[in-house]
Every structure is written in C-alpha cells, then in structure tokens.
Amino acid sequence: MIMFSKLLPISLSTNAVKLYSPVTGQYYGECRGHSATINHISFSGGSTPHALHSCSSDGTIRTWDTRTFQQVSCIAAGPNQEIFSFSFGGSADNLLAGGCKSQVLFWDWRNKKQVACLEESHVDDVTQVHFVPDNRNKLVSASVDGLICIFDTEGDINDDEHLDSVINAETSIGKVGFFGDSYQKLWCLTHIETLSIWDWKDARLEVNFENARSLASESWTLDDLGSVCLCACCAGGECIRTADK
C-alpha cells in the first residue's frame, strides 16, 4: 500500500505529473489532463491525503486521485486565462483562490462555482496566492507588478472593501511564504533573486537581502551536505522555508 505522504509529485514539460517515492525513486504512475505548462502542484493533506491538486497555464485547477492517477475534479478560469498559483482556505475552509492574469479568482470548491473576482489590485500576472495558515480568512497575493496584497475574505469579497494592505517589493515577485510561531512573518523572493522579510500584519519591512544567492552559497559547505537546503530563498545559512505552509 502506498503512503500518500511519501509520494513525490513532479510536473513535466509534457504537461503531466509523475509520482515517485522520494526515498527509493520508485515510479508509481502519472496524471495526465493538462494541455499547457503546470505551474503549481500540492497535496490536500488532512482527511483526503490521496488528493493531488495542480494548476496550469491552460486555465484549469485539477484534482487527481493518486490511488488511481485519475482526474476527479476540474475548475476552469475561463477562456484565455492562465492560473499560476492556488490556495485552499477561508474561514469555513470552503474557498479556493487562484492567481491568474492580473486577477485573483475565488471559487467555492464544494460546488465549483466562482464567488468572486478581484481585478483592480494587480496589473500583471498574479504569481502567488496563499491563505495565511493561522488566519484562514486572510489571503496574500503577489504579482509580477511588484505588489503583495493582503485581503480579508469574509463576506462578499471585493477590491474596495476587502483589501487590508499593500506591500511594495518594487520588483517582480516569484515566491512568497510564511514562517514564525504565528506565521506573522512573510518572506518574499523576487525574480531578480532578492529576498525580503516582512511583518505582513502591519506591512513592515524587517530585512532585505539584495545578495541572497551569494549569502546562501557562502553558507553551504561540502562537509555539511546533510543539512544543505537547495531552496533559492535561504539566507545566512538558515532555511526559512522549513516552516512554509
């Protein structure tokens, strides 16, 4: 019997997801259905550990049953749309957010109906969307336009009343994530490989590493490969993605 927490999903240039054992490298199977680049893959965890989700530039978010490698659900963002990131959350854990072309879309994943579209906060591709782990009604979005937006997703979601704050990273953003005891710290990795740390609750910059790659490289040694992190967001020898959720 395959333990789903022991599966390693890998997206390929063929637009498929292959599943391996991260320990032995054993190949288990693949999930096919996307027609363009897969941008984000993630397991559900919780009560459905066998469910694997993926989003793609074909404008869909698909769910796969890794016991059979078959698609069990598909949500579409509409024609000529791309989805670069997704996140499940909301105060009732019923929301699915998708980062698209200058928009953040929301669906009720239980019935697959779109419930909101935020289209005034970003002017370029939304590369990241993440619900805050300890504040499930708060959503963070990040974009190529250099902005990180924090939204409150309670009630009828809209740009005017639900945008809490905006952080300006001043350059195109590739990845963001959370760390710290209460997930109050936000790390931001840009496409030019600078790394900044923010307190997202008050939009305060705490530290900025202009040379994150060189700092990480200088901290890695061949004698310590057992503890080396291969993330591009490491700085000063300490990986802050170990608490990323």
Side-chain angles (χ1 to χ4, degrees):
M1 177 180 177
I2 299 173
M3 296 294 292
F4 301 106
S5 62
K6 301 300 183 182
L7 290 176
L8 174 65
I10 299 175
S11 61
L12 307 177
S13 59
T14 58
N15 308 323
V17 178
K18 288 192 174 183
L19 294 155
Y20 296 87
S21 164
V23 177
T24 66
Q26 179 183 349
Y27 169 70
Y28 290 121
E30 65 181 61
C31 304
R32 287 187 171 273
H34 285 297
S35 58
T37 301
I38 296 172
N39 298 312
H40 180 192
I41 49 179
S42 174
F43 278 104
S44 277
S47 61
T48 55
H50 57 274
L52 176 69
H53 310 284
S54 59
C55 71
S56 165
S57 292
D58 64 11
T60 65
I61 301 174
R62 300 172 190 253
T63 301
W64 315 87
D65 188 331
T66 55
R67 297 169 296 187
T68 62
F69 310 108
Q70 297 299 307
Q71 178 181 303
V72 295
S73 175
C74 179
I75 291 176
N80 303 315
Q81 192 53 281
E82 298 182 56
I83 304 179
F84 304 104
S85 179
F86 63 88
S87 183
F88 290 88
S91 58
D93 278 329
N94 65 309
L95 293 178
L96 169 60
C100 306
K101 291 180 177 178
S102 75
Q103 297 178 337
V104 179
L105 301 181
F106 293 88
W107 297 267
D108 187 324
W109 62 263
R110 300 169 299 183
N111 56 27
K112 303 179 185 177
K113 291 183 178 180
Q114 184 176 320
V115 295
C117 173
L118 303 178
E119 54 187 355
E120 298 177 4
S121 300
H122 291 292
V123 296
D124 214 326
D125 293 346
V126 180
T127 54
Q128 296 277 276
V129 288
H130 291 290
F131 283 98
V132 181
D134 278 4
N135 292 266
R136 300 293 286 169
N137 63 313
K138 300 293 186 181
L139 180 88
V140 171
S141 64
S143 169
V144 172
D145 63 16
L147 300 181
I148 300 172
C149 297
I150 295 91
F151 299 97
D152 187 337
T153 62
E154 289 284 358
D156 296 327
I157 308 166
N158 60 72
D159 288 278
D160 294 330
E161 299 176 0
H162 290 256
L163 178 60
D164 284 351
S165 59
V166 178
I167 293 170
N168 190 354
E170 300 182 352
T171 188
S172 177
I173 300 169
K175 299 285 185 182
V176 297
F178 307 95
F179 70 103
D181 293 337
S182 59
Y183 302 103
Q184 188 169 339
K185 306 302 181 184
L186 174 76
W187 59 262
C188 170
L189 182 67
T190 70
H191 285 123
I192 59 172
E193 297 185 340
T194 60
L195 173 70
S196 55
I197 308 296
W198 302 78
D199 185 314
W200 66 264
K201 289 186 177 180
D202 57 14
R204 185 181 73 252
L205 176 65
E206 297 197 341
V207 64
N208 186 48
F209 298 97
E210 295 287 345
N211 55 342
R213 176 176 286 274
S214 61
L215 284 173
S217 299
E218 291 168 2
S219 300
W220 296 341
T221 65
L222 292 177
D223 296 332
D224 193 29
L225 287 178
S227 61
V228 165
C229 175
L230 299 182
C231 304
C233 65
C234 295
E238 181 179 359
C239 178
I240 59 175
R241 293 193 68 182
T242 55
D244 174 25
K245 291 192 177 182

